[in-house]
Amino acid sequence: SSPTRTRSDCVHGADPVPDHPDSVIFPANHGKATVFLGKEALLARLTDRRSARHQAVIDRFFELSRDQAFYYTNVYVLAEVFTSVRYGTSAREAAQLQADIEDSAIRVLHGSDDWSSTDLSNTPKEVFLAATQLYEEREKIAFNITEATLVLEAARAEASFVFTYDGTIATLARSFGLDVLPYSTPHRSTG
């Protein structure tokens, strides 16, 4: 079986998930939401690199939110996803992931700009410095640069939610007052 889920695979399995009420995955009647997606959520959505349970929850999230949400991630998170696919499968599968991302509803950002922008508002150095400054501001939370960039971009965009299976991202996001989806899950790592 292919390690990368095809776009058509991503719409299957959107049935309710036992032990995960829909209100935990995406709140009803929220209105238009801005959602930032972490690495583990992207791996579950776009690949077979995560458990069927993780895939079922993220697929249900996309089903529930499809007409109510705008989806974002950033180039740093995406680099980790590509790396995971490349080392876990093949160069061909990693290259296919590029097409799958571009064909999806997920918008990729660098800072506040679309990744295809030729006139960036923030240089890579500015993004890096903002993320590293968080080490001093949130010294009791252990996180990496990629996690910091995602949460900073979500906070700057006043995102409605951050969808993550990563406990560190959840902790960091909550320290900025951001809501984390799913609201509760036995599948989130501790952080």
Side-chain angles (χ1 to χ4, degrees):
S1 96
S2 170
T4 301
R5 299 169 77 194
T6 65
R7 196 161 190 285
S8 62
D9 288 338
C10 295
V11 296
H12 292 91
D15 296 327
V17 180
D19 302 326
H20 277 79
D22 286 351
S23 62
V24 167
I25 296 172
F26 186 77
N29 304 318
H30 184 277
K32 284 292 185 183
T34 303
V35 182
F36 279 72
L37 304 167
K39 171 189 163 193
E40 296 301 319
L42 290 171
L43 284 167
R45 178 67 175 172
L46 299 170
T47 77
D48 289 330
R49 309 274 317 139
R50 295 300 176 257
S51 73
R53 187 76 159 168
H54 282 96
Q55 291 174 8
V57 172
I58 192 77
D59 290 348
R60 185 64 179 165
F61 163 74
F62 272 88
E63 174 66 22
L64 294 170
S65 66
R66 70 187 149 140
D67 296 328
Q68 299 177 54
F70 299 102
Y71 312 106
Y72 298 91
T73 195
N74 71 31
V75 295
Y76 305 101
V77 170
L78 198 55
E80 283 195 343
V81 170
F82 274 88
T83 300
S84 180
V85 170
R86 172 58 185 105
Y87 286 127
T89 61
S90 69
R92 184 181 54 79
E93 294 297 335
Q96 179 58 48
L97 184 59
Q98 166 88 25
D100 293 343
I101 285 287
E102 289 182 4
D103 196 31
S104 77
I106 301 166
R107 185 170 171 215
V108 182
L109 301 176
H110 179 277
S112 57
D113 302 308
D114 188 88
W115 70 336
S116 62
S117 176
T118 57
D119 186 25
L120 297 175
S121 301
N122 300 100
T123 65
K125 182 178 180 179
E126 289 170 319
V127 172
F128 180 82
L129 291 175
T132 57
Q133 183 177 341
L134 274 187
Y135 288 140
E136 291 179 22
E137 294 174 10
R138 305 287 198 280
E139 66 182 61
K140 293 185 182 199
I141 304 171
F143 56 88
N144 66 36
I145 292 291
T146 302
E147 294 159 343
T149 62
L150 181 72
V151 172
L152 281 172
E153 289 173 14
R156 188 177 307 120
E158 298 179 3
S160 309
F161 304 102
V162 174
F163 191 105
T164 185
Y165 293 119
D166 186 304
T168 300
I169 292 175
T171 300
L172 190 57
R174 288 183 185 121
S175 80
F176 278 89
L178 296 167
D179 282 336
V180 177
L181 294 175
Y183 284 128
S184 64
T185 181
H187 307 293
R188 185 172 292 127
S189 66
T190 57

